[in-house]
Amino acid sequence: MFSENDKISIRQLQALLILDLFGTGVVTLPRQTVNVAGNDAYIAVLLGSIIMAVFTLVFTILGQRYTNKTVVEISQMLLSRPVGLLLSLGLAIKIMIGAGLELRIFCEMIGQSMLFRTPIFITALAMLLICSYVSAIGYECRARTGEILFVFVFVPFLILMFLAIFTADYSNLRPVLSHSTSDIAKGTWYTILSFQGLEFLFLVFPYLQCPKRAKKGMLQAGLIIAFFMTLITLLTIAVFGQYSVTNKLFPVLQMMDSLQLPGSFLDRQDIFMLWFWVVSIFASVSAALFFVTILFERIQQNKNKKIPARKWMLFVMVIVFLVAILPQDVASTHEYMERLKKYGGTFYILILPVVLFVIDNIKRRKQV
Amino acid sequence: MKYIKKGLIVLMVCFLTGCWDDKEMEDRSYIITMGIDKSDDDNKYLLTLAPAQLSAMNSGEESSNSEAPEKGITVKGDSIASAVRQADTYSSRQVYLGQLKTVVLGKELLQQKQYLQSILDELERNQDISGKIILLGTEGSAQECVNAILEEDASTGLFIWDFYKNTAQDVAVTKKLDLETFLRELRQSKGNSILPKITTTEQGIKIGGGIALSDYAFIGDLTDKQEQGVLLLQQEGKGAVIEGIWQNNTVPMWVYKNKSKLYFTEENNQLICHIKLFIEGSAEGSNLESRNIFQSSSINEIENMFEIIIKSEIENTIALAQKKYKKDIFDIASELKKQNTELYQKYGNNANEMIQNTVFDVTVSVKIRTIGVVD
């Protein structure tokens, strides 16, 4: 009934991409952007996310040109073997550290809102075991899981969004464009950096059924993400006002908690946002585990003695687990995350795709 | 290998149940109302905690039919956290603030800026306490108010919550103010706001009027009429009853629609705040012998009368901020900032000075839509 060729459809890739990118980024993004752009933060988020939605085309075009290759092979072809290997190893390390830190932030958040006494390592281990199981089976399993979870997660999320739309005080968004262009540009930059997970597009094309249709699909997914990120930021400012947003660690979660459902029959409806976030973290950590094992498999040069991807899983899990439990507290975790986004994210999400794209274009022109 | 995998999956499921953090309902003392006063001795705060009486709720007993309601648990501490931990020593069940619905702040606490800021920070930071909790201020002690609330409703402790759910939006004597909104107003206006007032009387609890705060400290109170004026300005005046004398008869008008518009202009280097109020209501009474209310001329007269009365009420309310307290307790400066950045930069930097020098131009338009079922 279902094919098991380890290939996924564009729709499945869209669902996975949306779940991957809606990780910790969206929960803390309003606070970060309001800190610099005040009540104009939603404009910064809109600009940043549209830029990134269009930027997905760079990944897509590269992927479509080399459908059976990942960044490991492409970078070796375009930049030379040693540089390509080094960059691929760097990407693997970046993804592992990013996954570990996201997992830690998730565990802190769960610890704060639900499981106060449960040690962080238990929550992290539970999530890692599930993610590794799903990743070990293959990409198709992840994709089908993501497709199903997407519906169950987005419907309550949308209901809460509608509630927030009708109860928010939009006068908190005024005066519009009262902040300088440089403040809005800073906010735009923070938004661009929050698109951690976009580097998975380097690795996904060998698993697509119809890579030729990827451009439209990726652009659609990017614009959906842009729309929701902007809406969430706008509503957070409208509900809390710019001064209160900057004081909150997880303003989106607290916004959900502050909404009053009609009839007052439900309380703690931030549980829906938590549910959404649990699924999102599951998607991004399982993606990280899967793609890092693929990277390690493909980095190996000796084809006769290659260790298959599945066998790298335990090693990758241990590294991600250690990264998740090592930071002292949530403040230092956020600091490391910001540094990773700033250096690792800027290089692998912005610089490397453009460099590879430009070099590929130059080489193609020379061939012609 | 298969069995190891299956074993691992079963193990995973055990971790997913969250049993590590389980707590039975019966093992908790759910605090519904909390009163915070400044303590007289070395401790900073005096907390009065009113728990829900789950056993009374389960047996379906009303508080008036059962034994005399318990008084609140009174504890002292230098913070909410330390006071709550002390409260745990007085009860077999652990105090839980996750169902807290109302917090009453005593006058002495409200007069101390640093203490108030500290309490608000603790309330906001606490992961159990929701941002939807209702805040009230009192001119007496919060302890008296909490004990009076317990007398009204000892079982669920939801007296205040029910009041705001069932009655408040239809009486226009008070506005529901939750913690999140209060903090937003304070931050936006740099410490100015109006807290709804709760008072203990011989007949029980009375909720109405307001407590004015400036720079995070108590500066005075608002009567019911003054609070009504504030609510009319904020488009929350639905349910207000305004009385006027027409042809030697007292004619009450019940407000069922209230809109207001505020905008700013500048004339001769003077900031002018224009307030336009649009009110629709129904004339609820006259005199049994009086039969000429059902004429457009009469209705016009009554409308004009109410326009004068309401205008006077609004001007008296504004005079509170301008002349009595000389503080921008209505946060007019933020409204100016939202509407006109240039004027704000010219006049709004010192909000308290701005409010004293602003000219207010109040225009009221009243429409009587119904006069009841007789003419």
Side-chain angles (χ1 to χ4, degrees), chain B residues 257-275:
Chain B
K257 207 170 183 182
N258 158 219
K259 285 209 179 301
S260 72
K261 193 177 157 190
L262 204 127
Y263 62 97
F264 300 87
T265 57
E266 187 187 14
E267 263 172 55
N268 302 324
N269 275 326
Q270 173 86 60
L271 181 68
I272 301 173
C273 175
H274 303 268
I275 299 173

Side-chain angles (χ1 to χ4, degrees), chain A residues 112 115-119 122 129-130 169 171-172 174-175 239-241 243-244 247-248 257-260 267 269, chain B residues 9 12 15-16 18 20-22 101 124 127-128 130-132 161 165 180 183-184 187-188 335 337-339 341:
Chain A
Q112 254 186 35
L115 304 175
F116 310 113
R117 292 178 297 163
T118 306
I122 293 286
L129 285 172
I130 301 163
D169 177 7
S171 68
N172 287 327
R174 290 189 293 165
V239 168
F240 290 131
Y243 301 107
S244 284
N247 281 299
K248 298 185 185 306
D257 184 43
S258 71
L259 298 175
Q260 188 76 44
D267 213 353
Q269 58 269 7
Chain B
I9 292 167
M12 264 194 281
F15 285 131
L16 296 173
W20 205 297
D21 267 279
D22 72 330
K101 294 281 186 261
E124 188 187 22
Q127 64 223 9
D128 288 336
S130 164
K132 293 185 291 210
W161 187 263
K165 188 165 65 80
E180 211 50 76
L183 290 169
R184 191 184 74 225
R187 286 180 176 129
Q188 194 170 271
E335 195 55 39
K337 186 179 179 185
K338 284 176 187 174
Q339 289 191 22
T341 322

